[in-house]
Amino acid sequence: MMVRRGIDIAVAIMGGLLALPLFVLLAIAVAISMGRPILFIQPRSGMHGTAFALIKFRTMRELHGPDGVLLDDAARTTRLGRFLRRSRLDELPSLWNILVGDMALIGPRPLLPVTVAAFGAGGVARGAVRPGLTGWAQINGNSLLQDGDKLALDLWYIQHASFALDLQILVRTIGMVLLGEKVNRRWMGRAYANGPDRRG
């Protein structure tokens, strides 16, 4: 566990330093495209349910309809925001969350506390590890999956976590960014066969 935390800290420091010029350019682009604030900060559920402030680049405008109600995410996401999400560059500021120990490089994605609470016992089990910048559910379907599917994959990861699995997630994350998201039915089946919500 200490070795893994040491790797996370080293990656956060080196990655942050190497990406500093890119960070500045993206901050300027977000400011021009969407105005201030540049960063999106939101409470998320961390290890053992401890709340922390997730930091990302902002990808949406604050746009309201004629009735004053906030428009949906798709309508508010800018072209730059879609690029940042597609490339995962909106996650760059989350290196700070890794450095201070809120997150790890690999792990289940940090969710809203209300979402984790809705998972019940599964949400508690999911909080056994630090949330990650990328994870098993992200490389096996991510936004194409339902919340229950992601939970099954996250719990499978927690039960089988290893250095080799983390390395596989890192490599496949690069492929996902380059080629796009795709549901992996084989790993979905294994996750459900191994979990409490077994299908069939």
Side-chain angles (χ1 to χ4, degrees), residues 19-199:
L20 189 56
L22 179 60
F23 188 99
V24 173
L25 287 175
L26 291 177
I28 293 172
V30 170
I32 293 173
S33 172
M34 289 170 262
R36 300 175 69 180
I38 295 169
L39 299 177
F40 172 79
I41 302 174
Q42 187 179 58
R44 296 294 175 96
S45 184
M47 193 173 183
H48 303 311
T50 303
F52 71 97
L54 176 71
I55 308 172
K56 302 171 67 173
F57 275 123
R58 186 177 166 206
T59 57
M60 294 188 291
R61 297 175 186 270
E62 289 292 315
L63 295 179
H64 298 78
D67 54 0
V69 176
L70 199 64
L71 297 179
D72 60 31
D73 289 359
R76 293 188 297 123
T77 305
T78 66
R79 181 178 296 180
L80 174 63
R82 285 192 289 275
F83 166 74
L84 292 176
R85 289 186 176 192
R86 172 73 176 79
S87 62
R88 302 301 194 272
L89 288 173
D90 62 321
E91 311 275 1
L92 203 54
S94 300
L95 288 173
W96 173 257
N97 292 119
I98 295 176
L99 181 63
V100 299
D102 294 331
M103 292 174 59
L105 194 59
I106 306 296
R109 286 292 297 156
L111 301 177
L112 291 169
V114 65
T115 304
V116 175
F119 285 150
V124 174
R126 190 180 183 277
V129 299
R130 284 189 177 87
L133 202 61
T134 183
W136 193 235
Q138 280 61 56
I139 63 168
N140 286 300
N142 198 22
S143 64
L144 304 177
L145 301 173
Q146 301 295 319
D147 284 348
D149 298 333
K150 294 179 186 177
L151 177 61
L153 288 162
D154 287 337
L155 295 180
W156 186 93
Y157 166 78
I158 291 170
Q159 294 171 358
H160 299 84
S162 67
F163 181 77
L165 184 58
D166 284 357
L167 192 59
Q168 180 186 162
I169 291 172
L170 276 178
V171 172
R172 287 181 57 190
T173 295
I174 296 172
M176 178 187 69
V177 170
L178 295 175
L179 303 175
E181 297 173 350
K182 182 180 178 182
V183 176
N184 189 317
R185 301 290 179 192
R186 180 168 67 98
W187 283 112
M188 282 294 308
R190 288 192 183 188
Y192 273 106
N194 198 61
D197 296 326
R198 184 175 299 177
R199 289 176 171 173

